[in-house]
Amino acid sequence: MAWFGFINLYMVRINLSVIIVAMVRRNMSDATTPPCLGLRNTSHESFAEDEHFIPDEDGEMEWDETIQGLVLAGFFYGYVVSQIPGGRMAELYGTRWVFGGCILAGGICALLSPVAARAHYGVFIALRIVQGIFQGVSWPAMHSCISHWIPPLERPRFIAVVYFAAALSTSFTLPLCGVIIARHGWAAAFYVTGALSLAWCVFWFAFMHDSPRQHPRITPEELKYIEETLQRSGTNSSRSMKLPLKSILSSMPVWAIIVASAGNNWGLTVFLAKLPTYMKTILGFSITENGFLSALPFLLRYMGAIIWSSLGDWLTKHGYLSISASRRLFSAIGKRLADNVLQIPAFQTVAICQPPQTLRPDLTWIRFRSPVLTCCFSLTLSIPSSPFPGRF
């Protein structure tokens, strides 16, 4: 259920990244030849006659780049507000209601999105902020669930499989939205993703319980195993009524994690929000191609999470690395490699869009080289968040 929860969580979060490509009416000066493909006009061959590029129909929203940026950023304005309160709420009231409520609110916001967008972009931005506030509690709430349900040595696989379902969700939400938009229009993509979230909520509230002892169908053996392993690891299963705020704010490891996570999430968010727009306006892909190619890096990110977490788990179990050393090593490698690989597509795009005049660049080479390089970035970005064995 948690795995499907993260699938739905990201469905309604990132659907706008590809939907906005179809929503917005491009300026006449921008709606002709995408810059990289316009290189074919250097010969007598007309770009308009190129059978490889078929312009999509313009959307109905007349939003400039500033408004589009605000619309895409609206979710995160709300998202950042509820992170710490969300974790505290899950401690006090349980993951069942907090995590389930955030998915329910996200589904409702998705269903209301077409109405809000057509009313005014300000209404749509406000709706995205509200959605961000509700969904900001999702990750902290699941941390609370892990502390009650998952034995420490099983947490690496749980994190890799369940948490990185967000990347897997992105990998099929983007192409799904592309196909829906091509056949039924952009509003239908909001309706489908929102309805799926509401359907998930029915099963979540019916079968989810906040702790093993509350579960009516758990076997005595399983209950004993979970509680004993949590007790041996020092995990506190009770709900603390006092927040050690001073200790948290004065902890250097906490600040190190904050800084590292900020950099990690910056690169990931740029890809989530802007990659489909880049694919359309610069590389000239259709809405269907756009969805599939934009999703590829996130599929590799999910696969990478499984690989790196399994490796980290194996190294700690066999005594080659301590838990702390495993975290530090994989985080350092992942951050550094992702930083280096992220710079490659930028330089390659310059080379692609400005080749020597003596070269006749092939259309396939121009359009597909940069997306393939972004996949390398996502594969390295999966490293730092994967091998987290031990206690939280």
Side-chain angles (χ1 to χ4, degrees), residues 9-17 19-20 23 63 68 70-79 106 109-110 112-113 116-117 121-136 190 193 272-273:
L9 176 72
Y10 265 66
M11 264 193 173
V12 297
R13 173 177 170 175
I14 57 90
N15 55 8
L16 181 62
S17 297
I19 293 175
I20 198 171
M23 290 174 67
W63 298 342
Q68 293 177 53
L70 291 172
V71 168
L72 289 169
F75 176 90
F76 301 98
Y77 296 147
Y79 190 76
C109 289
L112 295 176
S113 291
Y121 68 83
V123 178
F124 190 36
I125 293 173
L127 182 66
R128 293 288 295 180
I129 292 174
V130 170
Q131 181 179 341
I133 292 173
F134 277 102
Q135 295 202 320
F190 280 119
T193 53
L272 279 171

Side-chain angles (χ1 to χ4, degrees), residues 146-147 150-153 155 226-237 323 390-392:
I146 289 176
S147 69
I150 310 300
L153 292 180
R155 289 175 184 175
I226 294 175
E227 291 186 339
E228 287 184 352
T229 52
L230 292 178
Q231 186 178 11
R232 285 197 301 268
S233 69
T235 301
N236 184 7
S237 60
I323 292 174
R391 67 186 70 171
F392 277 85

Side-chain angles (χ1 to χ4, degrees), residues 81-95 98-99 136-145 148 236 238-245 248:
V81 171
S82 56
Q83 295 279 307
I84 295 177
R88 189 59 176 159
M89 289 170 60
E91 286 182 342
L92 297 177
Y93 305 111
T95 301
V98 176
F99 188 77
V137 307
S138 55
W139 292 80
M142 192 53 62
H143 294 336
S144 177
C145 177
H148 290 87
N236 184 7
S238 63
R239 295 177 180 176
S240 175
M241 300 304 294
K242 184 178 179 181
L243 183 67
L245 188 59
I248 293 173

Side-chain angles (χ1 to χ4, degrees), residues 287-303:
I287 192 67
T288 304
E289 294 173 322
N290 194 333
F292 280 98
L293 284 173
S294 297
L296 186 57
F298 301 98
L299 177 61
L300 291 179
R301 187 168 185 258
Y302 183 76
M303 295 169 60

Side-chain angles (χ1 to χ4, degrees), residues 5 8-9 98-108 135 197-198 200-201:
N8 284 278
L9 176 72
V98 176
F99 188 77
C102 89
I103 304 295
L104 177 64
I108 294 173
Q135 295 202 320
S197 292
L198 298 185
W200 173 87
C201 289

Side-chain angles (χ1 to χ4, degrees), residues 10 63 75 84 133 154 162 175-176 213 216 231 277 319 335 379:
Y10 265 66
W63 298 342
F75 176 90
I84 295 177
I133 292 173
E154 296 181 19
V162 175
L176 174 65
R213 190 162 289 277
Q231 186 178 11
T277 300
K335 291 293 187 294
L379 192 59

Side-chain angles (χ1 to χ4, degrees), residues 28-346:
M28 292 305 295
S29 59
D30 298 332
T32 53
T33 304
C36 286
L37 299 190
L39 293 171
R40 291 178 67 88
N41 284 330
T42 57
S43 68
H44 63 83
E45 184 179 16
S46 172
F47 179 84
E49 296 175 354
D50 193 337
E51 69 279 5
H52 293 281
F53 176 74
I54 302 175
D56 295 320
E57 295 182 2
D58 273 343
E60 59 187 271
M61 305 301 170
E62 296 184 358
W63 298 342
D64 60 22
E65 284 75 10
T66 301
I67 294 175
Q68 293 177 53
L70 291 172
V71 168
L72 289 169
F75 176 90
F76 301 98
Y77 296 147
Y79 190 76
V80 71
V81 171
S82 56
Q83 295 279 307
I84 295 177
R88 189 59 176 159
M89 289 170 60
E91 286 182 342
L92 297 177
Y93 305 111
T95 301
R96 180 172 181 262
W97 290 106
V98 176
F99 188 77
C102 89
I103 304 295
L104 177 64
I108 294 173
C109 289
L111 295 177
L112 295 176
S113 291
V115 177
R118 285 167 174 151
H120 191 270
Y121 68 83
V123 178
F124 190 36
I125 293 173
L127 182 66
R128 293 288 295 180
I129 292 174
V130 170
Q131 181 179 341
I133 292 173
F134 277 102
Q135 295 202 320
V137 307
S138 55
W139 292 80
M142 192 53 62
H143 294 336
S144 177
C145 177
I146 289 176
S147 69
H148 290 87
W149 272 99
I150 310 300
L153 292 180
E154 296 181 19
R155 289 175 184 175
R157 288 187 295 273
F158 181 90
I159 291 173
V161 174
V162 175
Y163 278 32
F164 274 81
L168 184 62
S169 175
T170 304
S171 71
F172 68 76
T173 298
L174 294 179
L176 174 65
C177 288
V179 172
I180 293 173
I181 292 169
R183 297 184 179 182
H184 305 289
W186 60 266
F190 280 119
Y191 296 141
V192 171
T193 53
L196 289 173
S197 292
L198 298 185
W200 173 87
C201 289
V202 175
F203 295 96
W204 174 262
F205 289 117
F207 297 110
M208 171 61 185
H209 299 275
D210 288 322
S211 69
R213 190 162 289 277
Q214 295 177 4
H215 200 293
R217 292 176 296 277
I218 192 171
T219 64
E221 294 79 10
E222 187 177 10
L223 177 62
K224 181 180 178 181
Y225 168 72
I226 294 175
E227 291 186 339
E228 287 184 352
T229 52
L230 292 178
Q231 186 178 11
R232 285 197 301 268
S233 69
T235 301
N236 184 7
S237 60
S238 63
R239 295 177 180 176
S240 175
M241 300 304 294
K242 184 178 179 181
L243 183 67
L245 188 59
K246 182 179 179 180
S247 299
I248 293 173
L249 295 178
S250 59
S251 172
M252 289 304 294
V254 168
W255 285 106
I257 292 172
I258 290 174
V259 172
S261 296
N264 183 77
N265 288 331
W266 183 87
L268 177 60
T269 302
V270 168
F271 270 64
L272 279 171
K274 301 302 294 183
L275 186 59
T277 300
Y278 172 81
M279 293 287 192
K280 169 67 183 293
T281 59
I282 304 300
L283 299 183
F285 287 104
S286 69
I287 192 67
T288 304
E289 294 173 322
N290 194 333
F292 280 98
L293 284 173
S294 297
L296 186 57
F298 301 98
L299 177 61
L300 291 179
R301 187 168 185 258
Y302 183 76
M303 295 169 60
I306 303 296
I307 295 171
W308 305 129
S309 65
S310 299
L311 177 59
D313 192 17
W314 185 84
L315 290 173
T316 54
K317 277 188 174 182
H318 289 77
Y320 294 107
L321 289 175
S322 66
I323 292 174
S324 297
S326 175
R327 290 174 174 174
R328 292 170 180 169
L329 176 64
F330 282 93
S331 294
I333 294 174
K335 291 293 187 294
R336 187 57 185 168
L337 284 179
D339 174 63
N340 291 339
V341 176
L342 181 60
Q343 299 177 44
I344 296 176

